Amino acid sequence: MTSGPDLSRRRWLKGGLTPARPENPLPWSRDWLNFTDGCSRCGDCLRACPERIIIAGDGGFPVVDFSRGECTFCGRCAEVCQEDIFAPRSASPWRQQARFGAACLAIQGVHCRSCEDSCEPQAIRFRPQLGAVARPELDAERCTGCGACVAGCPAAAIKILSQEQA
Ligand code: SF4
Ligand code: SF4
Ligand code: SF4
């Protein structure tokens, strides 16, 4: 782990500008300040991801774009990285989960269950409601934050958010 003075000096040498924490940082990435301090923006993780869901975000720092697909937790991004900015694979990859927004067709009264079909861990349930369209409900215990439901939603109504952002 980087020490305080070294970290401050390196940030100063880079211009001191750290982009705001993105909605979806990489799995196993440590806290955002530490990550941006150590990441050289080499792009190795972008090329290594078999799902092609890693893109260059603000400042060129890698972020996950779930509109491109899901994270399979293969760990290739963390493996290829030469910097000490990822937690061990034995740790939880992240603390984030699916959130259904107001654009959800079912919430608007239109029958739709696309997200349920794309969720392999079966974390999305539709509880029947008397005289109303069933709405999606998340089983927080099962949701891994993989993001497979994002691209599977025809209304782009699902976001993957950390518990802090929710
Ligand atoms: S491989 Fe590591 S140093 Fe290179 S862009 Fe990805 S996270 Fe940053
Ligand atoms: S763990 Fe694998 S699928 Fe997920 S972002 Fe990293 S390389 Fe891509
Ligand atoms: S993020 Fe993954 S596990 Fe969670 S609801 Fe979506 S598809 Fe299911």
Side-chain angles (χ1 to χ4, degrees), residues 27-28 48-51 53-54 64 70-78:
W28 295 284
C49 177
E51 305 301 322
I53 61 171
I54 303 178
V64 171
E70 70 187 281
C71 177
T72 59
F73 305 110
C74 67
R76 288 293 297 143
C77 49

Side-chain angles (χ1 to χ4, degrees), residues 92-152:
S92 175
W94 47 36
R95 280 160 28 97
Q96 58 183 24
Q97 295 195 313
R99 297 283 183 277
F100 306 101
C104 167
L105 297 178
I107 290 174
Q108 293 190 13
V110 179
H111 284 282
C112 174
R113 292 195 174 197
S114 296
C115 53
E116 185 180 40
D117 296 337
S118 41
C119 180
E120 203 177 306
Q122 300 185 319
I124 303 175
R125 303 268 170 76
F126 282 80
R127 195 190 298 271
Q129 299 190 78
L130 206 59
V133 172
R135 295 175 169 206
E137 288 179 6
L138 188 76
D139 182 337
E141 295 295 314
R142 288 176 179 246
C143 179
T144 61
C146 69
C149 51
V150 172

